[in-house]
């Protein structure tokens, strides 16, 4: 019997969740349940795996289990960039090996295309816009990164546009940035609205249980998932719960649950929109990986996302959120002096699962347990793709993209505690400092 030692406990004001349409959560599980398939985690990976598994096995029931409410957890707390292009910060040109980069591009495109098709078929209202992304720099070091990235993207056949600082107000409204690389292909969206819509459009042979945190698990010929009000027994289990997989007994000492922090303004008035100018929808990724991600949304809000912390139990701390909200205010004021009266309406933390070697896990964890875990900050496209492809692999399909995922060495081993937390948080603080005005 495996005792689950940590459960999700996200803070109360994720802006995307509260500004997307309200829905009635599916009931929590009560009693005894048996099924051929069970999936833990109804984020982007779990939803994709459940959908595809149900399509591949239309006569089987697929049970999808979520500890919180769909759209409230990590999948509804990201910045809403469905990115197709690779971005390897360990390579000088941010692309590295061209062959691997091309496979990553193909993998991310699988996830993006899958989402586009579902959103169109079910008319999911999630503010999906094919807007591309701006990689923007404040100073000379960031501009050098943009030049290298442009060169790297050219190697895999991706066209980009370098935009001078004097022209950026026409695009972004703000004159804060000195240069930006515009990269077509990224889709911007409202992540909580997307996840809610995906959950409410699942095939009829998927049974979704929300607010059903698993407290114990028994691995045997069948897997038994135990919670406060009953248990669910399945022939096969898929883990799609990212950093919490280590608390289910797998990839221990290999996953790095890391938190990023976001704030979302109230809606801009018409006068404020005129003062801001620029395009009605855009997204900026910082040239320096520890800088600020900024978005203008379809419903005329501004998102600021920056600051990092690491907690191995995967649970955020309220004191950090309060501290980092001040960072958001400073970042907003630097970029938007014309919007002095605009306040943040929501602020939140959101977990991403990283690994030391930037590799995820895909495949079999035990004889009757599979996993698609650790998206390294690309949950929308990578999580969706790996969830779908894992369901296809289980159904017997093999292709180049599945083989590429199976060839990964997976997340590597990290130092033990307390050295791990000390080391990771030191790296995060140093990275934040080095990013300078890009924060």
């Amino acid at each position: 019997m495996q005792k689950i030692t940590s459960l999700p406990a996200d803070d109360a004001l994720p802006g995307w969740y509260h500004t997307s349409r309200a829905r009635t959560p599916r009931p929590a599980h009560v009693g005894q349940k048996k099924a051929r398939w069970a999936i833990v985690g109804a984020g982007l990976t779990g939803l994709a795996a459940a959908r595809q598994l149900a399509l591949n096995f239309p006569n089987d029931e697929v049970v999808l289990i979520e500890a919180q409410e769909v759209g409230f957890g990590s999948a509804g707390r990201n910045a809403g960039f469905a990115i197709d292009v690779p971005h390897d910060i360990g390579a000088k040109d941010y692309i590295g090996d061209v062959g691997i980069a091309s496979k990553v591009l193909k993998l991310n495109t699988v996830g993006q295309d899958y989402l586009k098709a579902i959103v169109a078929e079910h008319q999911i209202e999630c503010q999906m816009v094919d807007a591309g992304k701006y990689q923007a720099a404040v100073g000379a070091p960031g501009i050098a990164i943009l030049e290298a990235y442009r060169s790297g993207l050219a190697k895999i056949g991706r066209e980009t546009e370098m935009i001078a600082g004097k022209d950026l107000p026409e695009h972004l409204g703000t004159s804060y940035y000195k240069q930006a690389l515009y990269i077509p292909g990224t889709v911007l969206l409202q992540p909580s609205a997307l996840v809610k819509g995906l959950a409410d459009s699942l095939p009829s042979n998927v049974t979704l249980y929300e607010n059903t945190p698993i407290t114990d698990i028994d691995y045997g010929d069948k897997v038994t998932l135990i919670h406060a009000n009953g248990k669910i027994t399945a022939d096969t289990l898929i883990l799609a719960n990212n950093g919490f997989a280590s608390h289910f007994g797998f990839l221990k000492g290999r996953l790095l649950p890391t938190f990023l922090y976001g704030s979302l303004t109230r809606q801009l008035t018409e006068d404020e929109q005129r003062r801001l100018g620029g395009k009605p929808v855009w997204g900026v990724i910082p040239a320096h990986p520890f800088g600020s991600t900024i978005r203008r949304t379809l419903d005329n809000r501004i998102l600021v996302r920056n600051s990092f912390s690491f907690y191995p139990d995967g649970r955020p701390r309220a004191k950090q959120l309060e501290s980092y909200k001040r960072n958001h205010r400073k970042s907003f004021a630097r970029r938007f002096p014309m919007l002095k009266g605009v306040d943040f309406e929501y602020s939140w933390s959101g977990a991403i699962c990283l690994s030391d070697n930037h590799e995820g896990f895909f495949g079999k964890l035990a004889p009757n347990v599979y996993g698609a875990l650790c998206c390294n900050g690309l949950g929308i496209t990578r999580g969706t793709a790996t969830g779908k492809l894992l369901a296809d692999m289980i159904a017997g399909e093999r292709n180049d993209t599945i083989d590429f995922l199976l060839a990964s060495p997976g997340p590597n081993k990290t130092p033990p505690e307390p050295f791990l937390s000390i080391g990771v948080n030191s790296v995060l603080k140093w990275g934040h400092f080095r990013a300078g005005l890009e924060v």
Side-chain angles (χ1 to χ4, degrees), residues 5 12 27 115 122 176 183 190 214 271 275 278 308 327 391 416 434:
T5 55
L115 286 175
H122 297 282
Y176 186 72
I183 307 166
Q190 214 276 26
I214 302 302
D271 177 62
R275 278 189 269 150
F308 295 78
N327 289 348
R434 288 192 64 194

Side-chain angles (χ1 to χ4, degrees), residues 20-63:
S20 55
R21 68 169 181 84
R23 60 181 286 277
T24 301
R26 303 292 175 87
H29 178 255
V30 176
Q32 310 285 316
K33 179 78 174 181
K34 292 183 179 180
R36 184 177 178 189
W37 311 101
I39 300 169
V40 172
L44 289 150
T45 305
L47 287 163
R51 183 181 300 273
Q52 196 66 17
L53 204 60
L55 296 175
N56 290 339
F57 299 94
N59 297 321
D60 292 342
E61 182 182 14
V62 179
V63 174

Side-chain angles (χ1 to χ4, degrees), residues 31-235:
Q32 310 285 316
K33 179 78 174 181
K34 292 183 179 180
R36 184 177 178 189
W37 311 101
I39 300 169
V40 172
L44 289 150
T45 305
L47 287 163
R51 183 181 300 273
Q52 196 66 17
L53 204 60
L55 296 175
N56 290 339
F57 299 94
N59 297 321
D60 292 342
E61 182 182 14
V62 179
V63 174
L64 177 59
I65 307 155
E66 171 56 37
Q68 301 183 110
E69 185 181 325
V70 166
F72 182 80
S74 297
R77 292 169 178 256
N78 59 62
F81 288 73
I83 298 172
D84 56 346
V85 293
H87 186 79
D88 179 3
I89 61 173
K92 290 182 179 179
D93 62 358
Y94 283 65
I95 291 296
D97 182 275
V98 173
I100 293 175
S102 297
K103 291 176 181 177
V104 169
L105 175 62
K106 184 176 180 180
L107 173 63
N108 294 343
T109 302
V110 167
Q112 195 184 74
D113 288 347
Y114 193 62
L115 286 175
K116 285 180 179 179
I118 296 167
V119 167
E121 179 183 355
H122 297 282
Q123 298 184 334
I124 298 173
E125 295 181 2
C126 61
Q127 300 182 19
M128 182 175 276
V129 180
D130 216 340
K133 65 168 179 168
Y134 294 86
Q135 209 92 15
V138 176
I143 291 172
I145 290 172
L146 299 184
E147 294 288 358
Y149 196 25
R150 177 171 66 169
S151 172
L153 288 169
K155 294 176 185 177
I156 59 171
R158 291 303 298 264
E159 293 185 2
T160 59
E161 179 187 0
M162 193 69 81
I163 303 171
K166 65 181 178 60
D167 298 320
L168 281 173
E170 297 177 18
H171 296 256
L172 311 176
T174 175
S175 58
Y176 186 72
Y177 299 101
K178 300 301 180 284
Q179 195 164 306
L181 182 67
Y182 175 69
I183 307 166
T186 291
V187 173
L188 301 179
L189 50 82
Q190 214 276 26
S192 187
L194 171 68
V195 175
K196 290 177 182 180
L198 293 173
D200 289 342
S201 62
L202 287 167
S204 59
N205 56 326
V206 177
T207 302
L208 169 62
Y209 296 113
E210 298 180 56
N211 296 308
T212 305
I214 302 302
T215 58
D216 299 88
I217 186 165
D218 187 9
Y219 296 109
D221 293 336
K222 296 182 185 295
V223 177
T224 302
L225 301 155
I226 301 166
H227 57 86
N229 297 306
K231 62 183 181 180
I232 299 166
T233 301
D235 296 342

Side-chain angles (χ1 to χ4, degrees), residues 368-413:
N368 54 353
V369 183
Y370 294 82
L373 303 158
C374 193
C375 295
N376 285 285
L378 279 177
I380 295 181
T381 48
R382 188 73 57 86
T384 298
T386 54
K388 174 194 182 299
L389 292 170
L390 186 64
D392 287 338
M393 186 196 78
I394 290 170
E397 183 176 333
R398 293 295 290 267
N399 55 47
D400 291 345
T401 307
I402 291 174
D403 289 342
F404 170 64
L405 289 167
L406 289 172
S408 166
N412 63 1
K413 192 77 174 174

